[in-house]
Structures are given as C-alpha cells and as structure tokens.
Amino acid sequence: MKKFATVTLVLLMAIMCIAFAACDKTPEDTTPTEYKVTIDSQNGLKTRTVSVKIGETFDLPNQPYNQGMIFLGWYTTPSGQEGKKIETSFVPESDLTIYARWESASTHVHDFKVGNHIEPTCDKEGYDEFVCYCGKTEKRNSVAALGHDFAFDSSSDDFMSFYPCKREGCTSFGRRPSERNYNDKFVVTFDEARQAKIDALYQEITDTLAEVDRYDAAAHAFVKDSALYAENKAFEEKYNAFYDELVYLVEQYQYSYVFYCVDDNEKNTELYETISEYRTDLITKFYSLYRKIYDTKFREYFFSEEDGWTADDIKEALDTSDSYGGDAYAELNKRISEIEVEFRNIANPGGDKAVLELYEEFVNLKNQIAVIAGYDNYIDYAYKNVYSRDYTPEDVAKTRQFLKEYVKPVYLSVLNDYRNSPKDSLNGDAKSLYYSLSGASFFSSKTVGDYVADYFRTMNSKTAGKTEIDFYKHANELMKNGNYYTGNYQGAFSYWIGAQNTSILYFGPGSYSGAFTFVHEFGHYYNTIYNHGASMSYDLEETHSQGNEMLFLSYLRTALPESVATDIFQSLYANQMFDAYAIVMLAACVDEFEYCVYTGTDPDGNPATYTANDYDALFEKLMSEYGIATSLNPSYWRYVAIESPCYYISYSMSMLPCLELYMVSETEGHEAAMNKYFKLFTFTDDEANVKVDSVGDTVVEIGYSDTLVYAGLTSPFDESLYQRLKEFYTK
C-alpha cells in the first residue's frame, strides 16, 4: 500500500502542477491582427492577395490592362448594381475582395462630370476639369496663363538686375525685357534675286577684264588724270560694288548661322547651307580677281601707291589669288568641304573608323593646298595664312618641352584636386549655389545674374586707356539692345558685324549659357566694343575671353557667402583649373599630333609615313608624354582635327597667360591683375602698336608675345613663366 500511495501522490502532484500551470495561461485570443484583401483584375490573370495590418491603409493598385476594354474602377462586387465603387485608399474592416470592372471600348460613351476648377497662375493656364467615370479627363473653359508681373523699376535703365514677380505665391524673378533694337537689322534678306544681281556684277567685271588690253609696261604706265586713269576709276566702281556685295554676303552668312543655331528647322537649315555654299564660291571668285586685274592694263592704276598699295601688299594679293582663286584650289576646297560635311554626319566620331579614312584624305588635300601656296606642308601654311600667327610650329616645339617638364606635374596635381573636390559632399544651399554657378543659365538664374553683375561692377577704370572701361555699363547695354540669341545648338560664340558696328552673340543650352561661358564671351564682346572690330590674332582674342574667366574665378573667392565659401570655391576652382590645364596639355598634344601628320615626321623629328591605321596610336603615344593618357579621351583628336585643323594650339597659348593672370590676382590683388588684363584691350591706344590702313581700319603691328609683355604678362615662349606656374599651382 505504501508503494501505491507514493505513486498516487506523484501522479496527484503532477496533476496539481498541470492544474496550476493551466491557471496561469490566458484563454486563446481569436481576434485577427490583419485582414486579407484579394485583388481580382477580371482580365484573365490570377488573383493576388495582400495582407494589411489592422488599422493601416490599403492603397488601390495601379490600373490593370485589358485589351479592348475601358477600366471603370475598383468595386466590391464583380458586377451588378449592389457593388460599391471604391474611389480612394481605405482602411479594411474585414477580409474582402475588390474587383476591376470593365466596359468595351467600342461601346463606351464618356459621361463627363464637373471635377476640379484650376485657377490660372503666372505660367500655367486655368481650366475646369471634367471627369468621366472611366477615368478620362477633359479640360474645358481654359483661361490663359496670367504671365509674370515683375516689379521692374520704371525709373531705372537697368537691364541686368532681376526683379521679383508681384503675384501672390509666385517665386519667380525676371529681368526687364530687352528692347531688341537689332531685330530689324539682324535680318537675312539674301534670296535668288540678290544672288542673280551679284552673279551679274561679277560677270560684268570678268567680261571687262577679258576685253581690255593685256598689261604693257610702256603703254600702261601710271599717269594721274589720264584717260586710262579715268577708265580704271570707272572699273573700280564696279569692283567696289562687288566687294560690298561680298561683305554683305559674309554678314548674311553670320546671321543665317546664328538663326540656324537658335532653331535648326528645315527653313533655317536650308538657308544657312545655301548661303554658306555660295559664300565659299564667291570668296574664291573674289580672290581670283587680283591676278586677272594684275594681268591687264589696269595694273599700275588699280594697285597704285595713290590707293595705299605697297610692293608687299601686291605680292600678298597675288599669292592669295594664285592660292585661293585658282581652279586647282577651288577643286581641292570643294572636296574638303564635302569631307567636312561627311564628318559632321558621323554620329560617333570616337568610335567610327570612317573618321580615320576621311582624315587621311583630308591631310593629303590640305597639304596640296599648302604646296599651291608655296609651302612644304599645311601646318606651316595654316600658322601664317589661316591664323596669322607671329610664331612658327618650330617656336611652339620649345613650349611643348616646357609643358612636358614643368606643367605635366601641375596637371597631375590639379587632376588630383579635381577628383577629390568637395562638390559631392555639398548639400542644401551650398549645393544649390555651386550648381547654379557651374551650370545654370545667366539668362534665367537670378543667382548667376547677380554674381556676374557684381563682378562686372568691379571691372572698370577711367585711366587704363583713352576710353573709360566699364564692363557693367556695356553688359547692361548688351542686355538692353538684345544683340544676343539663345538656342538649342551646343556652343557659344560671337561675331563682329561691321555694318552694324556691333557684335552678335549666341549662347546654347545648359552650361553654354552659364556664368563662366557668359563671362568668357563677354571678353570677346568687350574687345569689339573697345577696338571696334580691329583684326587681332586668335590667340589674343582667346586671352580676352579666358582671362575674364580667370578674374571672375578669383573674384568669387571673396564674394561667396562666408559660411559656405571654402567648399564651394574649392569645387569651382577644381573644375576651372582642371579644364584650364587639360586644354593647355590637350591642345598642345593635338598640335604636335598634327605637326607629325602634316610634316611626315615622328615625335623625335625622324621621317615617318602615316596611314589611317596609325593615327590613334600616334595620339596615344603623345598623350603619354604629356601625362594625360589615363585621364583624357584618347579619341579627342578625331573630334577636332577635321573641324578645326591646326587651330587648337591657340587654346594652349592663350590659356597660359590667363593662368598667370589668376596667379597675379591671388598674389598681388584683383586690381593689379585687372589692370594687366585691361592693357590687352588698350594697347591699341599706343600708336607704336598699331597703324591705320588706307581705308581707315586699325591694323595691329605688335605680335602676340609682345602684346603680353606690354600688358605686364609673360610670353609663352619664356621658360620662367612655366617655372612660376609650377611653383604657384603645386604649392
């Protein structure tokens, strides 16, 4: 019995433990924690189920697709009148299924009901919105946008400043609208009738030259007021009329190109191409006349000292006539123009082998033109005759060595700064300001407009030249007169229009109308304002523009808000300096590449023959010597060698003194750099630097390097410049 009792006690204790444990356990909770929403699209696809936690919102799914049907909405039943349409997101109160309902598109009739009324704003129209139960909406009773009502100061002549819109809720700013005072002057009037008139005039001149006697020194010696003197004057009237038509056509070409860049529609494209082709033909005809006149009895009268002709002038005219005016030149140039068109039609020059074959033919044709003009190769010819440089490719060879020795380490240092720029860590207002200054349009961004305007206010002097210099005044006149255009073509440029005594400017989208681009083009523009379109070297003209950019960059160091100035300026500085040193090295590399190709030599000066398959390897080899092979595009030459043959060295030669200008601004102060920069315009006030020709045009007599030295800067052929740049930009 004792044993039984023990077992019974153990069992009893176990039961009691179970009982006590059961007392601690709460009854099972049968309340759900989520609901299931089943979605039936009724379009042949499987249903799907979504779990929604209690109290949370279920968002209606996107409109499903059912070919040939119109979606009517989501309902609580698959069809019939008893179902309720679900209009918006909802909080489920139980498990349920929602059904998509459909109606055949062929039988559906819209039943529009009044929906929302949208009030017009400054830049958006107002309207009544009508909605059909199928989801289609329709705008009715449209009201035009109100347009901005900017708070312009009517008593001021300020066209640079931005003014706020006065309408409630509008945050836009705008400038006073330009008066567009040149719209009735910048007009393309060339047509078939004008072309016929020009052709007839040229034909009359050539007929006269064919009919008159050939030159005889004894019979046709110059005698003032003789019958032949009078006959020549009558001929010159026809010649001058033809020359005026050529000037007119060049002006028409400039207008047509600007309008083509603004909008390359069919009309503008056709007009530009027509004028461009005819202009090329007419220039050839014009140059051909010098030799034809020289061979007639008019020789000593047309090319007379009385009209300002010197022996050198006559030789240059005849050389030009034999080169540009001959049939051989015309045929070569015709094929070159065709190659240029073929190149522009290549979508991806960097990856298309057709560029290589085109360039091989292009080089051969260009060298033939040089030979006709008496040169061994095209690069020697282009330096002298196309770009009027006062230095030779052999002179540039010295600068290449300076670049490789001194500037190569500077480029690598600048590249490192660019890659580690703080721009990616900018946020908030600092980020917004940085991206405005690095890419927003001067024409629409108040931020950009204000910084450029404030910079221009610092760029003035009453003593730098014979005429007061005032950048802000002339920028304001530019905005007032409206001799600028914006468009979709990616680029920016300016043309001097002699007939209107002003320039026409073009700015493309994005950064092509940004702060630095506007400042760049204004450098070109101001030179034409101060010097009235006087012909200058490409290098000097690029120094005007790039120098202005460098001074603007230096100005920003102290003009930016103190709280964010350091990171923003470092980012802008890294961008600008990388661009500057990249173009210095890349342009020199392109020039050395072209020198090798046109002269048939390798980089060491040994004879070499190049075919289409050799060009890429040659350029990559040269890039390595400049330290740019791993950071810049190895196909870059393909984009520029046909479009701008032998030009790119000007970017390098002009940027070097601009980098010196920035250095002066940082070490000697903004005013010191500004005064040196202004002398690049005012050097023409010194009679020792210029002369006035027989027709009253100013001709620059001083070379590019001498102009830089005159302004207090350093020649790009002076080794000390490169040493100082290395010391400053790598410290």
Side-chain angles (χ1 to χ4, degrees), residues 30 38 54 90 106 152 166 182 617 707:
T30 59
T38 301
I54 292 176
F90 62 93
S106 61
F152 300 131
K166 294 187 289 186
Y182 288 93
T707 304

Side-chain angles (χ1 to χ4, degrees), residues 415-483:
L415 174 63
N416 183 64
D417 291 343
Y418 175 74
R419 286 173 170 168
N420 294 289
S421 163
K423 67 179 180 180
D424 292 333
S425 62
L426 296 174
N427 51 58
D429 291 342
K431 182 177 182 179
S432 176
L433 180 54
Y434 165 75
Y435 280 104
S436 291
L437 289 173
S438 60
S441 173
F442 167 82
F443 299 97
S444 59
S445 168
K446 181 179 185 300
T447 299
V448 172
D450 287 349
Y451 273 98
V452 171
D454 289 343
Y455 163 67
F456 281 167
R457 288 188 178 96
T458 72
M459 298 293 286
N460 60 80
S461 174
K462 294 183 178 180
T463 59
K466 292 181 179 179
T467 304
E468 179 182 357
I469 294 177
D470 189 335
F471 274 28
Y472 185 87
K473 171 187 173 182
H474 288 287
N476 188 65
E477 288 179 356
L478 172 65
M479 300 305 294
K480 177 181 179 179
N481 290 328
N483 44 316

Side-chain angles (χ1 to χ4, degrees), residues 149-161:
D149 183 15
F150 294 116
F152 300 131
D153 182 358
S154 58
S155 64
S156 170
D157 197 37
D158 185 0
F159 286 78
M160 282 285 284
S161 298

Side-chain angles (χ1 to χ4, degrees), residues 280-291:
T280 300
D281 179 57
L282 204 63
I283 289 173
T284 300
K285 290 178 177 178
F286 171 76
Y287 284 136
S288 72
L289 291 177
Y290 288 134
R291 174 61 70 181

